[in-house]
Amino acid sequence: MSHGIPRSNEVEPRTEQVRQLELKKIEEYKELVDFVEAKIHDREYTIEALQLTSRLLALNPEYYTIWNHRRRILQHRLTPPRPHDVSLEEQRDDNSPGDLNKSTLELITSDLNFVFSLLRKFPKCYWIWNHRLWLLQQASTHLPVSAVRKLWEGELLLVGKMLSHDNRNFHGWGYRRIVVAALDRQKLRDENVGASMVKDEFDYTTRMIRTSMSNFSAWHNRSVLITRLLDELAASDDERRRMLDDGTSALHFRLTGKLMYQVELILIQEGLYTDSRDQSLWFYHQSLMCTFDPAFASRSMAPNLSPNDRLAYVKSETDKLLEMLEDDRDSLPSLGPSSLRV
């Protein structure tokens, strides 16, 4: 049984023709591997060698050794030749900063396009995502800030599209966090420094959660971003408490000065009443409950609640969980002895 669909144990017998075709493909694959290995051994870091790795990775993107070979070829071609390695005429014609930047950008962009074609077929292959990050790191080393920023901005659009097709792809979510962090760092090097992307990313988790409550990565991102958002906005204790729970609808936004907030406890409660067996919802609920635990309160979204306030929140949440338990006794996770210490 897989995702509710029964699996059959019956395997259709292969014909001799199919078997011979498979053997031929295996031999061709092994010959291609040997050819690539020979090129690398002889330090032939040519476009032909790069194309051979493309063919091999299209067949097997999990072959991490070939990714290493590809990076070695690209690194060789991204490194400007030393003066004594080229003739004076070649130096005059090819080594101007503008020409080098253009050829570097073209090489990196071409490889990003190749990697994207693989991502569409293998969206959860770690080595593809890893290589894509390596290309962007090379861009940061070899290209002007303006060009690098455009590449990272393109990545944000790309990963947004990837997550729209599979909103629970944890590779995509991890990649998005890296891209956002890079863009935030890039802003620090820009003359027109803007606000950080925390608010935009927090709103993005809201949109993704509205699409599907069952999204561990979106809830995880939200739990990390919420304290950063409140700190950046210099939210008052009153604003923090109202963002936690002020009794309004979970999807209702309020604008208080410079702070727009979502009612977190009600949002998660609506999710739990919708699907009380979804573990991702309980993880986020647990992170919110840490707000009322003195051992964790200082690192929570509302660190300055009084002991009486904490007790009131704990009682309220306990009552709601007991009510939920009445409806479905199998839904609630077991609470360990250290779940709450108020």
Side-chain angles (χ1 to χ4, degrees):
M1 183 76 69
S2 177
H3 300 287
I5 301 175
R7 285 182 174 177
S8 173
N9 293 325
E10 297 181 4
V11 179
E12 294 185 6
R14 294 179 300 170
T15 65
E16 182 61 23
Q17 182 180 6
V18 171
R19 180 175 173 276
Q20 291 300 321
L21 182 60
E22 289 177 349
L23 289 174
K24 181 181 178 182
K25 288 181 178 180
I26 291 171
E27 286 303 314
E28 291 174 348
Y29 177 83
K30 291 170 64 177
E31 289 177 3
L32 185 56
V33 171
D34 291 341
F35 201 9
V36 170
E37 293 287 356
K39 291 283 187 182
I40 298 301
H41 181 269
D42 295 337
R43 299 179 181 274
E44 294 183 23
Y45 304 140
T46 61
I47 292 297
E48 180 191 7
L50 189 67
Q51 292 170 344
L52 289 172
T53 65
S54 297
R55 287 175 53 193
L56 192 50
L57 291 169
L59 295 171
N60 182 10
E62 296 283 357
Y63 200 162
Y64 67 89
T65 301
I66 303 303
W67 285 112
N68 290 337
H69 292 340
R70 187 178 187 87
R71 284 191 284 275
R72 189 176 299 175
I73 295 169
L74 289 167
Q75 186 70 69
H76 175 78
R77 305 194 69 81
L78 286 169
T79 303
R82 292 172 294 181
H84 63 269
D85 292 334
V86 296
S87 68
L88 290 175
E89 182 177 353
E90 288 175 322
Q91 290 181 48
R92 274 196 311 270
D93 293 342
D94 301 327
N95 281 358
S96 69
D99 289 338
L100 285 174
N101 286 340
K102 181 180 179 181
S103 61
T104 298
L105 180 59
E106 289 174 350
L107 182 60
I108 291 174
T109 302
S110 175
D111 217 52
L112 286 171
N113 291 336
F114 164 71
V115 172
F116 178 64
S117 68
L118 294 183
L119 269 182
R120 294 180 67 182
K121 295 171 65 176
F122 309 99
K124 296 185 179 181
C125 176
Y126 168 80
W127 301 109
I128 301 176
W129 291 103
N130 182 64
H131 184 75
R132 198 166 187 92
L133 280 177
W134 180 85
L135 287 170
L136 292 163
Q137 290 163 0
Q138 296 307 302
S140 299
T141 300
H142 296 286
L143 292 172
V145 170
S146 58
V148 175
R149 179 164 185 80
K150 286 182 180 179
L151 289 175
W152 282 106
E153 288 174 339
E155 293 304 289
L156 189 61
L157 293 174
L158 180 143
V159 75
K161 291 179 180 179
M162 296 288 290
L163 289 174
S164 69
H165 290 292
D166 181 3
N167 61 15
R168 296 195 295 182
N169 183 345
F170 72 93
H171 292 287
W173 279 97
Y175 189 77
R176 185 181 182 92
R177 286 192 290 272
I178 294 172
V179 171
V180 169
L183 285 169
D184 268 345
R185 286 195 300 271
Q186 196 65 35
K187 282 185 176 182
L188 298 177
R189 298 166 58 189
D190 196 332
E191 292 181 358
N192 301 316
V193 178
S196 80
M197 299 180 67
V198 171
K199 178 63 167 64
D200 292 340
E201 285 304 291
F202 186 79
D203 290 344
Y204 180 76
T205 67
T206 303
R207 294 195 299 272
M208 297 302 280
I209 288 168
R210 287 177 180 175
T211 301
S212 172
M213 285 276 186
S214 181
N215 192 329
F216 180 88
S217 295
W219 288 113
H220 170 71
N221 263 27
R222 192 176 187 86
S223 68
V224 173
L225 291 168
I226 193 166
T227 53
R228 288 184 57 195
L229 174 64
L230 291 166
D231 289 344
E232 287 192 7
L233 294 173
S236 66
D237 288 341
D238 183 58
E239 288 170 327
R240 289 170 181 269
R241 178 169 178 164
R242 279 185 289 173
M243 187 170 183
L244 182 65
D245 176 16
D246 75 345
T248 63
S249 168
L251 300 181
H252 178 64
F253 285 91
R254 292 197 179 196
L255 186 62
T256 304
K258 57 186 175 182
L259 177 63
M260 182 176 286
Y261 61 89
Q262 178 93 29
V263 185
E264 296 303 301
L265 280 174
I266 297 179
L267 174 65
I268 194 63
Q269 287 157 8
E270 287 189 356
L272 289 172
Y273 274 101
T274 301
D275 185 2
S276 59
R277 298 175 187 271
D278 190 325
Q279 196 66 29
S280 66
L281 301 173
W282 288 109
F283 275 121
Y284 190 68
H285 184 270
Q286 184 179 31
S287 74
L288 291 177
M289 294 304 291
C290 287
T291 306
F292 317 125
D293 187 337
F296 303 102
S298 63
R299 303 188 298 275
S300 71
M301 61 181 291
N304 297 322
L305 293 174
S306 70
N308 287 338
D309 286 337
R310 292 186 184 132
L311 284 170
Y313 274 116
V314 171
K315 184 180 185 306
S316 174
E317 288 303 301
T318 301
D319 291 343
K320 291 169 185 172
L321 295 184
L322 289 173
E323 180 182 343
M324 192 179 299
L325 183 60
E326 289 295 323
D327 297 332
D328 187 353
R329 292 186 174 274
D330 296 327
S331 66
L332 296 183
S334 60
L335 298 178
S338 61
S339 58
L340 286 172
R341 297 185 296 275
V342 180

